[in-house]
Amino acid sequence: MKSGVTADGAAARALSEIAAADGELQDAFDRVLEAAELLMDTGESAGGAVGDAIAAATGSIFEASAMRDIVGQRLSAIREAVTLLDGATASALETKRDKAREIEEKREDGSASESGLLNGPQMPGAATSQAEVDALFDNLD
C-alpha cells in the first residue's frame, strides 16, 4: 500500500498526520471523559453496591486517562524530531546542490580537471634538480 508521500513533502505530510492523530485522540479522550462523568453521576444516584462498582470503574477510567498526557508529550517530541530532521535534510541537500553548482561552473570554464594541478611554480630552492633525479635513477640499477 502506497502512502502518497514524496521526498519533497514527507516532513510536512508527517507533521500533518501527527496533528490529525493528536486531534482525533483529543476528541476521543474528551468523549471518554464525558461518558465517565455521566457514569459517575449515575453511580452516585444509584448508591449501594451498584454505585460503588460504578465509582470504582469510573475511577479506573480517570486513572487511565493520564495516558493522554503521555501520548501528547510523545507526539510533541515526534513533531520536534521531524522538524529538526527536515531542517537538517534541507540543509544537507542545499549544501550538495551548492557543491554540484560549483563543480558544474568549474567544468564550464574548463578548470575542474586542472584545479588540483594549478599550484604555481616551484619555490626557489625547493625544486628537485635534474641532477638529483638522474642520480636517483642511476642508483636503481
Side-chain angles (χ1 to χ4, degrees), residues 50-85:
V50 172
D52 291 343
I54 292 174
T58 55
S60 292
I61 292 170
F62 288 124
E63 287 175 18
S65 68
M67 69 87 190
R68 170 61 185 115
D69 291 335
I70 294 168
V71 171
Q73 291 170 10
R74 289 185 176 161
L75 288 174
S76 291
I78 293 168
R79 273 189 208 100
E80 288 177 30
V82 169
T83 300
L84 287 172
L85 288 171

Side-chain angles (χ1 to χ4, degrees), residues 134-141:
D134 290 343
L136 177 67
F137 282 110
D138 287 343
N139 290 331
L140 290 177
D141 293 334

Side-chain angles (χ1 to χ4, degrees), residues 90-119:
S91 177
L93 287 173
E94 189 58 35
T95 299
K96 288 212 174 266
R97 285 186 196 114
D98 289 346
K99 191 69 173 170
R101 268 188 239 116
E102 184 180 312
I103 291 169
E104 188 57 34
E105 287 170 3
K106 284 183 177 182
R107 270 197 198 117
E108 287 173 2
D109 70 13
S111 65
S113 61
E114 299 172 4
S115 63
L117 302 175
L118 301 177
N119 298 322

